[in-house]
Amino acid sequence: MAKKRKNKRIYSHVSTDERLPQNIYSIGEHVEENKNIYIYQSVYKAIHHYTVDKVVNESGGILVGNVIEEFGKMNIIIHGFIEAKFCEATPTTLKFTHETWEYFHKVIAKKFPDKKIIGWIHTHPDFGIFLSEYDKFIQENFFKEDYDIAYVVDPIQNIEGFYFWINGQLERCKGFYLCDKTGNKIRIERDEKKESESERKPLTGYGIFRNIILGLLSLVSIILLYGTINLNGKVSELQNQQRAIVDSANQNFAVMQQQISDLQNALEDQKLSQADGEIKP
C-alpha cells in the first residue's frame, strides 16, 4: 500500500510576471501612504486554512514575494507563505529558532529561488489585531527593511491586519488587494462585515484585563530575551578571559621551563669546572 505524502506547509503562487497584478479585489479602505500590499488569493486562503485551528498558542511563518516600484508607490506582492517549523510558541509569543531560519532558507532556495523574504505572519488567538511590544521587537530586529510587513490573524475572532513601515514607524495598513491571474475569479469567503464590527466592538472589563495581562507578558518576554542576549555576551566574555588566562599560564610555564633548563645547564657547567679543577695537578 502506497504511503500518503505529508502535507508540507508551503503555499505559493508561481509567477515570473514582474508587472503589477491586473486581476485584483480591494479589501478595506484606500491606502493613502506610498505603499500597497497585494496577496495572491491561493496564498491568502491557504494561510487562513492553516491558521483556522491554531487557537491555543501563536503560530505563523514568513511571507515571500517581490517588490515593484510603480505609480509612485512601493508595491509589495506576496507570492508565498512558509510555516515556521521548529519554533517556540506560547499563547502570547512566537520565537523563530536557528532551526526555523535554516528551514526557511532551505525552502526558499528550493521553492522560491527568484523571491525574497518580505515579512512575517503570526496569529493572536482571541487577542485581536495589534502589534505587541514583543512583536515590535521582532519586527525591528529581524524584519526591518522598508518593504518588510507584518500580517496578524486572529483565527477565533476571524479578523486580520497588515502592518508596514511608514517614515520609520510601524503603521496599520488600512487596506490591501487580493489578486490572481487574469481570468481567475476572486472569491471572498471571509465575512468583511463581521470583521469590521469585531474591530469596532468596545472592550469589556474582561477584554481590558486580558490586554493588560498580554502587555505584561510581552514585556516580560522582551526582558527575558534581552537577559538571554546579555547572558550570552557575558558567557562569551568569560570564555575570552578564560582563554587569555590559559594562554598567559602557558607562556609563564614555558618561561619557567626555560629558566629551569638554563639553571640545570649552569649547574652542569659548574660541576664540570669543579671536576676539571680536581683533576689538574
Side-chain angles (χ1 to χ4, degrees):
M1 181 178 178
K3 294 182 178 179
K4 292 184 178 181
R5 295 179 63 186
K6 293 183 178 180
N7 182 23
K8 295 183 178 180
R9 299 296 187 180
I10 305 169
Y11 305 107
S12 65
H13 173 88
V14 179
S15 173
T16 58
D17 193 352
E18 293 301 323
R19 297 175 300 173
L20 281 178
Q22 301 300 307
N23 182 18
I24 62 176
Y25 183 94
S26 177
I27 294 181
E29 302 176 19
H30 176 71
V31 178
E32 299 294 339
E33 291 82 5
N34 62 345
K35 293 180 182 178
N36 277 329
I37 297 175
Y38 296 77
I39 180 170
Y40 277 90
Q41 71 166 334
S42 59
V43 181
Y44 177 78
K45 292 178 180 179
I47 287 175
H48 286 287
H49 177 74
Y50 163 72
T51 59
V52 68
D53 60 347
K54 304 298 189 295
V55 295
V56 179
N57 292 329
E58 287 194 6
S59 61
I62 60 168
L63 304 170
V64 295
N66 63 325
V67 178
I68 300 175
E69 301 282 351
E70 195 168 322
F71 304 122
K73 284 199 172 189
M74 173 185 288
N75 300 283
I76 304 161
I77 320 296
I78 304 171
H79 285 267
F81 157 67
I82 306 174
E83 176 191 2
K85 292 182 176 294
F86 317 112
C87 60
E88 298 175 4
T90 73
T92 58
T93 61
L94 179 68
K95 179 182 178 181
F96 295 165
T97 63
H98 291 297
E99 291 79 5
T100 306
W101 283 106
E102 288 176 359
Y103 175 73
F104 286 155
H105 291 302
K106 181 179 179 181
V107 173
I108 291 171
K110 184 177 181 181
K111 300 290 184 180
F112 305 98
D114 60 337
K115 299 295 184 290
K116 61 184 176 182
I117 297 174
I118 55 173
W120 67 307
I121 173 231
H122 68 289
T123 60
H124 279 181
D126 205 26
F127 284 110
I129 303 306
F130 62 96
L131 289 181
S132 67
E133 292 303 315
Y134 183 82
D135 297 336
K136 292 176 183 177
F137 176 85
I138 297 298
Q139 191 78 18
E140 291 166 357
N141 287 273
F142 300 99
F143 300 95
K144 55 188 176 182
E145 297 297 333
D146 194 38
Y147 53 77
D148 280 330
I149 58 179
Y151 182 21
V152 185
V153 176
D154 186 332
I156 296 179
Q157 297 185 33
N158 196 33
I159 55 178
E160 63 187 0
F162 283 96
Y163 293 82
F164 49 24
W165 291 107
I166 298 295
N167 299 323
Q169 301 294 323
L170 285 168
E171 302 288 348
R172 173 81 179 267
C173 180
K174 295 180 180 180
F176 61 96
Y177 295 103
L178 277 182
C179 60
D180 211 323
K181 290 181 179 179
T182 302
N184 289 351
K185 186 175 181 179
I186 298 177
R187 296 178 176 85
I188 306 300
E189 298 176 357
R190 297 170 61 77
D191 189 342
E192 294 183 53
K193 182 178 179 182
K194 178 181 178 181
E195 180 174 327
S196 299
E197 290 176 350
S198 297
E199 290 181 330
R200 293 194 298 267
K201 185 178 179 181
L203 287 175
T204 63
Y206 170 74
I208 295 173
F209 176 74
R210 183 183 62 186
N211 282 354
I212 291 174
I213 294 299
L214 176 62
L216 291 175
L217 288 174
S218 298
L219 181 60
V220 169
S221 298
I222 292 175
I223 292 173
L224 290 175
L225 187 57
Y226 273 118
T228 301
I229 294 173
N230 291 334
L231 181 60
N232 289 336
K234 290 181 180 179
V235 169
S236 178
E237 183 180 351
L238 288 173
Q239 288 175 339
N240 292 334
Q241 291 177 353
Q242 184 181 20
R243 283 194 292 268
I245 291 172
V246 171
D247 292 340
S248 177
N250 289 335
Q251 292 176 356
N252 291 334
F253 182 70
V255 171
M256 289 176 62
Q257 283 185 319
Q258 183 62 44
Q259 291 176 343
I260 291 172
S261 178
D262 293 342
L263 183 58
Q264 288 177 338
N265 291 334
L267 290 173
E268 291 294 331
D269 291 341
Q270 186 177 5
K271 288 180 180 180
L272 290 175
S273 297
Q274 292 177 350
D276 290 342
E278 291 177 356
I279 293 173
K280 291 180 180 179

